[in-house]
Amino acid sequence: MTDLSELDRGAAPGAADPVKVLMHRHRALCERAVDPLEIAAGLEAHGITDRTAARFRHRDVFSLAEELYARVPRDADAATDGPAAAPDAPAGGGDRRRSVTALLLPLLPGTLCAASLAALTRTHGQMRLYAAAAGVLAVALALRAVLRRGPLAVPDGPAPRQATGSWTCLLLAYAVLGDGLLRTAITGGPDGLPDGTADGDWPLTLAPLLALTLAVAPATWTAGLYLTRAGRKLATSRGLEDFAASVRPVLLGAVALFLGALAALVALCAPVLDTEPVSPAVLALGALLFVARLLTVHGFTHAPRVILVTAVAQLLAPATVFAARLPGCTALGAPVEALATAWGPAAVPVLTCGAGALTLLVHASRTLTRASAHLRPEQPR
């Protein structure tokens, strides 16, 4: 982070050229920039605001970036003055294969999950346990492959990755087991261990898992569309505020598009697994995971981690009902029981995940609309 006090001293009224200090400090950024807005985004990432730009005798950060862009020779200019570059080789089969892989790979988690659920319906006893374990492993490996490349991949950088996979797994586990366990707990159960069926003491709800794994594909494609549109807005905007105003509808549209696709998938899965065609809990969880991943991809990891940890608190809902059975602890389970009685057990994940998704969306509308959030990986963040 640039020391703003040093910049202030460099921009003192007596300085002959107040921009010179800033130009030398950010010379690498200015040399590889392709337009003034890219420099403005870099300055914004270093904490330089319009108020700071005024100390350098400019009305805003973009005006300051335009002067830096004009005064510093860039790598592109040097390349233009040098020998002519060789013509690009025509795109070969490798590019086509990569495009096909990028298109089809996001379909793999949902396909494997559907195959695993089909295998569970045709197996019994110990073979059913083996089929479930193999299915979980296959889907986990497919998700890992999708999240390591493409629009949902976290770019490599100097900042350490802060994993949220454990919290995501807990939220998915609650989507499968939580509502059934809460309903059973309120009615006085369970009377036995889970047997992996929808009619047992611990009822399983597999529709959310299938819908969410199938939704990996539209999430990937929607994130790619958002990144592409945001990149175009960055190239055509004439200032930081102009970029923020133009990219915010793109962000909201991407989230709405993903939710529409997820709702359609839930409706398609309902007849197959004999569940409700509309599931607000699945939509809330899907929105939470999608917005959290968008923020993480752009380097904003703190807020998603905090919100996911907060959403995992929904696991305490069945625990409070069980704790209410202890002598003198009846009041512990009263809020959850009242909520579940009035709105159903799904009200718990709808409230926790929905509130978390809305909080992250508000946060994303402020952070992902900054030009500095869309800098290329080699530029400082």
Side-chain angles (χ1 to χ4, degrees):
M1 181 67 69
T2 301
D3 189 343
L4 296 182
S5 62
E6 293 183 14
L7 294 180
D8 290 343
R9 287 195 296 270
D17 189 355
V19 180
K20 193 171 184 179
V21 174
L22 188 66
M23 181 176 65
H24 285 289
R25 188 178 297 276
H26 297 285
R27 190 176 188 86
L29 168 66
C30 299
E31 286 177 346
R32 61 173 172 258
V34 297
D35 53 39
L37 187 59
E38 194 166 316
I39 298 178
L43 296 178
E44 181 190 52
H46 284 87
I48 297 178
T49 64
D50 289 343
R51 179 177 297 181
T52 310
R55 300 190 182 106
F56 290 90
R57 304 173 187 171
H58 284 272
R59 67 180 183 276
D60 52 30
V61 176
F62 186 72
S63 174
L64 176 61
E66 284 184 320
E67 180 175 348
L68 293 173
Y69 183 80
R71 293 178 59 173
V72 177
R74 288 165 301 283
D75 296 340
D77 298 335
T80 304
D81 295 336
D88 294 336
D95 293 334
R96 287 192 293 270
R97 283 193 295 271
R98 283 192 292 270
S99 300
V100 172
T101 300
L103 182 65
L104 298 181
L105 183 62
L107 297 171
L108 190 58
T111 303
L112 291 176
C113 184
S116 301
L117 295 183
L120 288 177
T121 61
R122 291 170 171 79
T123 54
H124 303 280
Q126 194 172 16
M127 289 301 298
R128 185 183 181 89
L129 179 61
Y130 292 154
V136 170
L137 179 61
V139 173
L141 291 176
L143 284 173
R144 178 183 174 87
V146 173
L147 297 180
R148 289 176 66 90
R149 64 183 69 185
L152 296 181
V154 177
D156 296 328
R161 297 184 181 184
Q162 302 185 15
T164 55
S166 300
W167 310 116
T168 301
C169 290
L170 289 175
L171 291 173
L172 293 175
Y174 189 91
V176 174
L177 282 168
D179 289 353
L181 179 59
L182 181 57
R183 184 181 294 108
T184 303
I186 292 175
T187 57
D191 299 322
L193 296 176
D195 56 5
T197 65
D199 301 323
D201 289 317
W202 290 35
L204 294 181
T205 307
L206 297 176
L209 191 61
L210 178 58
L212 289 171
T213 52
L214 289 172
V216 171
T220 304
W221 300 332
T222 304
L225 178 63
Y226 167 70
L227 293 176
T228 301
R229 293 295 300 274
R232 292 175 181 173
K233 297 292 185 183
L234 185 61
T236 58
S237 297
R238 288 293 301 167
L240 299 178
E241 293 183 359
D242 181 31
F243 173 76
S246 63
V247 82
R248 187 172 289 110
V250 177
L251 172 64
L252 299 178
V255 175
L257 182 61
F258 169 73
L259 286 178
L262 179 57
L265 290 172
V266 172
L268 290 175
C269 295
V272 178
L273 298 175
D274 192 22
T275 58
E276 298 178 358
V278 178
S279 177
V282 178
L283 295 180
L285 177 56
L288 173 63
L289 297 179
F290 180 68
V291 180
R293 191 64 189 181
L294 277 183
L295 285 165
T296 302
V297 165
H298 288 83
F300 303 100
T301 59
H302 179 70
R305 187 175 68 257
V306 171
I307 295 299
L308 288 177
V309 171
T310 304
V312 169
Q314 65 187 270
L315 273 69
L316 298 176
T320 59
V321 177
F322 288 128
R325 300 176 184 178
L326 298 174
C329 299
T330 306
L332 289 178
V336 173
E337 291 188 24
L339 181 64
T341 301
W343 302 98
V348 174
V350 168
L351 287 178
T352 54
C353 294
L358 183 60
T359 301
L360 284 185
L361 185 58
V362 172
H363 179 64
S365 67
R366 300 180 62 182
T367 56
L368 297 187
T369 55
R370 299 175 186 169
S372 56
H374 301 272
L375 287 174
R376 295 176 297 182
E378 69 269 20
Q379 291 179 342
R381 292 295 303 271

